[in-house]
Amino acid sequence: MGHQEDHAISCSSTPNCPGTKSVVYVYDDQGNCISQTAYPCNVCGN
């Protein structure tokens, strides 16, 4: 059965943004990455 993994990535490369962004990887039954969705650092109000 497929699964997804969430990875939190630091936004330290974005000025004045101490938060994190998340990248969600979706895998199929064989463990192949079939989807990658990145949420940008604009959650800091930029």
Side-chain angles (χ1 to χ4, degrees):
M1 182 173 161
H3 68 283
Q4 73 178 37
E5 296 180 8
D6 295 356
H7 296 268
I9 300 174
S10 174
C11 289
S12 59
S13 61
T14 303
N16 302 318
C17 185
T20 58
K21 62 182 174 180
S22 60
V23 180
V24 179
Y25 299 96
V26 179
Y27 297 89
D28 64 10
D29 295 349
Q30 285 74 42
N32 299 308
C33 185
I34 56 175
S35 176
Q36 175 179 332
T37 304
Y39 296 89
C41 290
N42 60 7
V43 294
C44 293
N46 294 338

